[in-house]
Amino acid sequence: MLKLGLIGGMSWVSTRTYYEHINRLVQAKTSKLASAPLLIESLDFTDLVRLSTPEQWNHAADVLTASAQRLEQAGATAILIGANSMHKVYDKVAGAVQVPVIHIADVVGRKMQANGVKTAALIGSRNVMIESFYRKRLIEHGVTLLPPVMDSVEEVDRIIYEELMQGRATRSAERTFKTMITNMERDGAQAIVLGCTELDMVIDVDANVLPIYDGTAIHAEAAVDWILGG
């Protein structure tokens, strides 16, 4: 198996989810005692939360680039950024290493395209929902995205940062997302993209009114394909 590098810690809950997804998939495809060969660098999320200014994003790009370079030097043959929002600095990170950096929105977009999904709604942190760096990758795969509803954007962002990233899943959040997804179906969405790694804590990906494309799970599948040489 090929060794994979994961830039984690954004949040620790997300890193745990990636680790579990990847190892369960490796076991399912190889043997029940197998473990994925992983290099994980868990960053301190304190200085990477809710970035807004160009200076803050430049700092984040430097931090993630240095992390990717350390993982490459340690033997990683491909790298994942374990956070949707941090794909805003993907180009700088990917350009600083010689190994592939697997983009989460690309693998989600390819899967949706293969399934014939034409119109979808995106749920994630504020910058994922309203900025172009994530949305344009999905659109490049033929997926039309519903425009974000700003009231929903602010509430989703609050739940992500004040609850989910701290490991708390509440019934209130579950109800909020059920209502939101129902409204998105009414507005014409054929599917929902989870553009935040912690959202599976409060959104049942297998029991909803619309198909749910969990970006973390799909990213992990792509990682395992790489690990197994697929």
Side-chain angles (χ1 to χ4, degrees), residues 191-203:
I192 303 295
V193 177
L194 301 190
C196 169
T197 48
E198 295 88 359
L199 283 173
D200 68 346
M201 295 169 61
V202 287
I203 296 176

Side-chain angles (χ1 to χ4, degrees), residues 3-8 18 39 64-82 87 90 93-94 96-104 219 222-223 226:
K3 187 174 292 185
L4 185 87
L6 173 63
I7 303 175
Y18 269 100
L39 293 167
L64 268 69
T65 294
S67 178
Q69 291 171 334
R70 286 190 292 270
L71 290 170
E72 181 182 32
Q73 291 164 5
T77 62
I79 292 170
L80 299 187
I81 299 172
H87 280 73
Y90 171 88
V93 175
V97 293
Q98 300 301 310
V99 299
V101 181
I102 302 170
H103 197 294
I104 190 169
H219 208 197
W226 179 270

Side-chain angles (χ1 to χ4, degrees), residues 28-73:
K29 294 186 176 187
T30 56
S31 76
K32 292 181 179 179
L33 294 178
S35 299
L38 294 173
L39 293 167
I40 301 174
E41 179 155 293
S42 186
L43 302 176
D44 180 3
F45 199 30
T46 306
D47 295 328
L48 300 172
V49 178
R50 284 181 167 167
L51 308 181
S52 58
T53 68
E55 292 77 17
Q56 289 172 333
W57 279 109
N58 286 337
H59 170 69
D62 290 342
V63 170
L64 268 69
T65 294
S67 178
Q69 291 171 334
R70 286 190 292 270
L71 290 170
E72 181 182 32
Q73 291 164 5

Side-chain angles (χ1 to χ4, degrees), residues 9-26:
M10 306 169 292
S11 63
W12 68 264
V13 178
S14 166
T15 309
R16 176 187 64 187
T17 303
Y18 269 100
Y19 187 79
E20 182 172 359
H21 276 319
I22 290 171
N23 277 287
R24 287 190 181 278
L25 283 168
V26 165

Side-chain angles (χ1 to χ4, degrees), residues 1-2 29 221-230:
M1 292 190 285
L2 299 175
K29 294 186 176 187
E221 289 170 8
V224 172
D225 287 342
W226 179 270
I227 287 170
L228 298 180

Side-chain angles (χ1 to χ4, degrees), residues 117-161:
V117 176
K118 299 296 184 184
T119 306
L122 174 62
I123 302 176
S125 61
R126 193 179 196 279
N127 73 321
V128 168
M129 292 182 75
I130 68 173
E131 296 183 33
S132 64
F133 70 91
Y134 193 103
R135 300 177 70 88
K136 70 179 181 181
R137 292 272 184 163
L138 293 181
I139 292 169
E140 286 170 0
H141 293 282
V143 180
T144 298
L145 292 172
L146 297 184
V149 178
M150 290 311 298
D151 287 346
S152 298
V153 168
E154 300 305 332
E155 178 60 7
V156 170
D157 198 70
R158 185 197 66 76
I159 291 171
I160 288 171
Y161 283 100

